[in-house]
Amino acid sequence: DVKVTQSSRYLVKRTGEKVFLECVQDMDHENMFWYRQDPGLGLRLIYFSYDVKMKEKGDIPEGYSVSREKKERFSLILESASTNQTSMYLCASSLSPTGGNSPLHFGNGTRLTVT
Amino acid sequence: EDQVTQSPEALRLQEGESSSLNCSYTVSGLRGLFWYRQDPGKGPEFLFTLYSAGEEKEKERLKATLTKKESFLHITAPKPEDSATYLCAVQAFRAQKLVFGQGTRLTINP
């Protein structure tokens, strides 16, 4: 079974802090994704990566950046956290570059609160 | 713009009471429609992929169907362990990403 591990289940950060969310997958998938999940808005794609050192913007990249230095690890960075970035963040990996032909495998999420 | 709307937002059933969840979509050229299940405090878990109108997929008490405008997730004789949020997503042929609906929160009372 694919395992996607997010390093923190809960995080509380202050406005203006730089925040790192880490994600590791163990199935050698080339494609990794970061989503945020908010009530009433569903899952929205922030960034995705189809290879090491490659990244593509999703629907809501503003205020975020990503890093993919190793195939198994995909990091989401909030350069200067703001209260509107309080959310559930979900990492996923897939054999498919779009999450289409092969399903997305999700981690259990990081609930980030910015105060 | 590709859109997905799920209804109802929440559904409460008694154990054994069958029902259906709806996923209506607007997309120019459907490549695939996907159903995921999400338990509280966990990430979504893949259930089904449907590719063309008329296609059906089954897994235990769940059956997903697809038409040109919508998909239904039928739940037959549900049990409390079927309680979860069910997410629908679509992908267009020209799209690089999935578009998710807001989900239906299903509660099965014993």
Side-chain angles (χ1 to χ4, degrees):
Chain A
D1 264 1
V2 176
K3 190 169 183 181
V4 178
T5 303
Q6 295 184 232
S7 55
S8 304
R9 291 300 303 273
Y10 301 95
L11 276 179
V12 180
K13 297 292 182 180
R14 293 196 177 275
T15 301
E17 278 193 79
K18 190 169 185 176
V19 181
F20 293 85
L21 303 184
E22 306 287 346
C23 175
V24 177
Q25 52 97 1
D26 67 356
M27 279 301 291
D28 205 34
H29 286 167
E30 293 188 346
N31 308 286
M32 297 188 74
F33 307 79
W34 275 105
Y35 287 87
R36 64 177 283 178
Q37 185 174 32
D38 300 288
L41 295 177
L43 273 74
R44 292 179 292 166
L45 182 63
I46 305 171
Y47 267 96
F48 63 101
S49 169
Y50 52 87
D51 201 353
V52 175
K53 296 192 185 295
M54 305 301 288
K55 61 184 180 183
E56 294 284 344
K57 293 180 180 180
D59 296 318
I60 51 165
E62 296 79 17
Y64 304 94
S65 62
V66 290
S67 174
R68 183 110 182 259
E69 296 296 320
K70 293 185 177 181
K71 191 175 186 178
E72 67 270 20
R73 188 180 296 270
F74 193 32
S75 302
L76 180 69
I77 304 156
L78 285 67
E79 298 291 342
S80 178
S82 63
T83 55
N84 63 11
Q85 293 178 308
T86 291
S87 185
M88 170 68 84
Y89 289 88
L90 290 163
C91 175
S93 73
S94 177
L95 286 171
S96 166
T98 61
N101 291 335
S102 182
L104 293 167
H105 298 270
F106 286 90
N108 283 332
T110 295
R111 185 165 294 282
L112 173 67
T113 302
V114 182
T115 62
Chain B
E1 185 180 334
D2 302 334
Q3 287 190 326
V4 178
T5 303
Q6 292 187 246
S7 61
E9 286 188 19
L11 180 63
R12 190 178 293 270
L13 301 172
Q14 290 298 123
E15 184 172 1
E17 181 184 0
S18 301
S19 188
S20 298
L21 312 182
N22 178 263
C23 171
S24 296
Y25 64 90
T26 304
V27 63
S28 54
L30 179 71
R31 182 171 191 171
L33 184 141
F34 311 88
W35 283 98
Y36 286 81
R37 169 191 170 129
Q38 186 174 22
D39 293 304
K42 294 196 172 183
E45 182 180 337
F46 172 74
L47 291 173
F48 303 111
T49 305
L50 301 166
Y51 293 105
S52 57
E55 189 175 0
E56 298 183 353
K57 294 274 180 74
E58 284 191 65
K59 181 179 181 179
E60 296 181 357
R61 295 174 293 281
L62 299 176
K63 183 169 80 172
T65 61
L66 181 65
T67 73
K68 290 186 177 180
K69 293 183 178 181
E70 58 193 349
S71 176
F72 292 94
L73 186 64
H74 306 278
I75 302 176
T76 302
K79 298 181 178 182
E81 53 262 41
D82 295 320
S83 297
T85 296
Y86 291 86
L87 302 172
C88 172
V90 298
Q91 186 189 10
F93 276 108
R94 55 169 172 71
Q96 284 187 296
K97 59 180 177 65
L98 301 184
V99 175
F100 281 85
Q102 302 94 321
T104 294
R105 188 172 67 254
L106 176 67
T107 304
I108 309 298
N109 294 318

